[in-house]
Amino acid sequence: MNTFKKIKLKNSEYDYLFIAIESDTTVVEAVPVIKKINKNAKILFDMFLKQGNNSRRFIEYNYVNNEEIDINKFNIVHNVSDDIHNTTKSFFKKNILLLDNGAFSNKFKLAFKSQL
């Protein structure tokens, strides 16, 4: 099952944005999708549905084609651009029902949905 939405980014320091679409998703589940990229790529993961809007939400990985993926080289990113935030916000606006998959209280869901 596909647990990430892969978005090719333009004019960004990242080549791809992978948005987790299930609350129990881990970056390890993206390994088969990463390997299909077939080129070096800087990837940003948005783990919003699992982590919420906290300091562990975004994770980056620098993929080198044909090398084994090293889970220890995934790094938490504390500051991402407004463009990335706008991309994820737009994604969740178009896929509003995914918020119901998140590990959030009903109060948080209502507050977040009102900001979209």
Side-chain angles (χ1 to χ4, degrees), residues 4-10 12 14-20 33 37 41-48 57-60 80 83-92:
F4 287 94
K5 169 66 176 168
K6 180 176 81 172
I7 300 172
K8 174 83 170 115
L9 298 173
K10 298 176 184 174
S12 175
Y14 297 98
D15 299 301
Y16 294 94
L17 173 64
F18 282 42
I19 300 176
V33 179
I37 293 174
K42 191 170 183 182
I43 303 166
L44 183 68
F45 296 86
D46 182 354
M47 305 300 291
F48 177 70
R57 175 180 175 177
F58 292 101
I59 300 170
E60 70 179 7
V80 298
D83 288 340
I84 296 290
H85 279 287
N86 290 336
T87 299
T88 60
K89 192 174 186 178
S90 175
F91 173 80
F92 284 111

Side-chain angles (χ1 to χ4, degrees), residues 4 18 26-32 34-35 41 43-47 58-63 68-77:
F4 287 94
F18 282 42
T26 67
V27 292
V28 174
E29 294 173 68
V31 169
I34 294 170
K35 288 181 176 182
I43 303 166
L44 183 68
F45 296 86
D46 182 354
M47 305 300 291
F58 292 101
I59 300 170
E60 70 179 7
Y61 185 74
N62 289 306
Y63 174 62
E68 285 298 314
I69 294 175
D70 184 351
I71 299 303
N72 296 315
K73 292 185 179 178
F74 284 77
N75 296 305
I76 293 172
V77 178

Side-chain angles (χ1 to χ4, degrees), residues 49-66:
L49 291 180
K50 181 178 182 108
Q51 299 295 341
N53 196 21
N54 68 34
S55 63
R56 297 175 307 210
R57 175 180 175 177
F58 292 101
I59 300 170
E60 70 179 7
Y61 185 74
N62 289 306
Y63 174 62
V64 178
N65 192 27
N66 296 323

